[in-house]
Amino acid sequence: MAIFGDPAIRQHQIDGFAIGDPRTVNHSGELSIRRNHGGPHIPNSGALEPDQDGEAGTGIGRAHAKAILIGEHTVVYGLPALAFPLPDLAVEAVARLTATTEVSRDPVEWRTHAGEYRFICGPDSALEQCRSGPMASLLTAMHRWRFETSAVEVRIHSTVPPARGLGFSAACATAVVRALADLLGAPLDDNSLYELVQVGERIAHGNASGVDAAAVVSPTPIRFEAATSRPLHIEHDLTLVIADSGGAGSTEQSVALVRSVLGHSTDSAGRHLTRAAAIIEAAQTSLMTGRLSELGERLTDFQSLLSELGVSTAAIDRIVHAAVEAGAHGAKLTGGGLGGCVLALTEPVCAQQVALAMSAAGASATWTVSTKDWFR
């Protein structure tokens, strides 16, 4: 995948990681992670201790952002969602043992500056009091691997913007769990990783469907349905413009809002979900057959449904309208809504004018995403 743009467009600034940085993405486009394959033994506190300076070996874990093409919110009710990874927006976590007695108790405490985060979990950290998804995933992993006598410090570097519907919390939790597994030499299969990340996602978002946890580790687009994902093998190219609406979204609030709307009437809920299912299936057919104009129409149809469910905003609606008027095949919010990002499907020759139009309509940043070199 490539991210490119014109200097005139206010592109998202990625600090610390260059696009295509080999520390983050290998040549196949898949995220790499250093693993210790020495066996399932988990060292006890006597076998792996901080040195006299409070430092020991480190573990590294990585993950990437995602964008939901279609199916957000209705995926919570068992319908499919189509999502794809954004490997050039990445998270890297570094875990190490520490002799400090300090532990982090609130997610506000662990942000150091833009894109950089730090927190410490130890024997005194209580999962039931945890308000941070990545911290909850780390604590659960420590308990599962019976490593509860030493504190662990985690430092995170992220180029994924938080609260924008791009999978920030899931990517951070994934990177953190992978870093701890790397530090301890612990076995970590895909199912265990998904379960541990989902612990954090429920803290972060309430009723989390699991699509983010699946998408932030997938090297390919996926169809996610009823806690199961399968890869989508797309044989053609897509060009997307993702725009930040300028307002933070809240998945937990938007999920609760949709639940309230659908809960007013069983008949109305049935009609909404039946309509959503038809749009999603039609969108996948168009996606797999390369009928991009039809796919764009389905995206716009789904945006109308999301508006009816109450999770769009005036700012999102303006950006969606501007994208379509500028030549996009279709556009919609992506993620939880109530802020966050808009996704527009366009032709490569129209990408710049679509991005400029979205910026003029109020977008605070745009990412132009080409799948030409990556989806195959």
Side-chain angles (χ1 to χ4, degrees):
M1 186 183 79
I3 294 184
F4 56 90
D6 186 277
I9 303 173
R10 290 176 290 172
Q11 296 285 345
H12 183 70
Q13 297 299 309
I14 298 180
D15 299 324
F17 276 70
I19 297 300
D21 188 329
R23 294 175 299 167
T24 307
V25 184
N26 64 25
H27 293 298
S28 69
E30 298 178 3
L31 290 167
S32 60
I33 176 169
R34 180 165 56 85
R35 287 279 179 84
N36 183 335
H37 294 290
H41 172 67
I42 309 301
N44 60 35
S45 60
L48 183 62
E49 294 182 345
D51 63 22
Q52 60 183 353
D53 296 321
E55 295 184 356
T58 60
I60 298 175
R62 300 183 178 96
H64 54 73
K66 59 82 196 175
I68 296 179
L69 186 68
I70 196 166
E72 50 272 274
H73 286 293
T74 57
V75 68
V76 174
Y77 299 89
L79 299 188
L82 310 182
F84 57 89
L86 301 175
D88 287 335
L89 295 176
V91 173
E92 180 175 271
V94 178
R96 69 176 182 89
L97 300 186
T98 177
T100 182
T101 58
E102 167 200 11
V103 293
S104 304
R105 301 190 182 280
D106 189 288
V108 174
E109 295 178 1
W110 54 277
R111 180 164 185 163
T112 57
H113 54 84
E116 302 288 342
Y117 306 85
R118 171 184 176 270
F119 62 86
I120 296 173
C121 290
D124 295 332
S125 301
L127 180 61
E128 61 272 14
Q129 298 176 1
C130 188
R131 296 172 50 215
S132 160
M135 288 172 62
S137 292
L138 179 70
L139 280 171
T140 304
M142 291 172 68
H143 296 165
R144 177 172 295 188
W145 295 327
R146 299 179 182 178
F147 193 81
E148 301 174 349
T149 56
S150 298
V152 176
E153 178 190 47
V154 174
R155 292 182 179 271
I156 297 173
H157 176 87
S158 174
T159 62
V160 183
R164 292 301 188 270
L166 299 181
F168 172 78
S169 63
C172 285
T174 298
V176 164
V177 171
R178 282 175 158 173
L180 181 66
D182 189 38
L183 174 67
L184 302 181
L188 182 63
D189 60 33
D190 292 344
N191 288 336
S192 296
L193 176 61
Y194 176 83
E195 291 171 1
L196 290 168
V197 173
Q198 273 295 88
V199 171
E201 286 296 272
R202 294 186 188 101
I203 295 291
H205 302 310
N207 187 16
S209 69
V211 62
D212 285 15
V216 299
V217 298
S218 176
T220 65
I222 62 170
R223 174 185 170 112
F224 182 91
E225 184 175 8
T228 302
S229 65
R230 64 178 178 84
L232 296 176
H233 301 290
I234 300 170
E235 298 297 332
H236 52 271
D237 303 327
L238 300 176
T239 298
L240 301 162
V241 179
I242 299 173
D244 187 339
S245 70
S250 170
T251 300
E252 183 174 13
Q253 291 179 15
S254 61
V255 167
L257 176 59
V258 170
R259 185 189 307 117
S260 175
V261 171
L262 294 179
H264 283 160
S265 167
T266 301
D267 290 342
S268 177
R271 287 193 298 271
H272 276 102
L273 295 177
T274 298
R275 178 180 161 206
I279 295 172
I280 294 165
E281 294 300 341
Q284 180 171 337
T285 298
S286 299
L287 174 65
M288 303 307 290
T289 56
R291 300 200 297 269
L292 300 187
S293 179
E294 293 180 10
L295 175 58
E297 292 174 2
R298 300 295 78 76
L299 298 184
T300 303
D301 289 344
F302 205 80
Q303 170 63 20
S304 296
L305 186 145
L306 292 171
S307 294
E308 292 173 15
L309 293 175
V311 295
S312 192
T313 65
I316 288 173
D317 292 343
R318 283 194 301 270
I319 296 170
V320 167
H321 178 75
V324 175
E325 287 294 303
H329 291 304
K332 56 178 285 295
L333 67 83
T334 181
L338 297 180
C341 288
V342 172
L343 176 150
L345 174 68
T346 185
E347 296 292 336
V349 295
C350 298
Q352 179 174 325
Q353 69 187 40
V354 169
L356 286 168
M358 296 170 88
S359 293
S364 60
T366 63
W367 298 263
T368 299
V369 179
S370 171
T371 66
K372 180 178 180 181
D373 301 319
W374 184 71
F375 271 148
R376 300 196 191 283

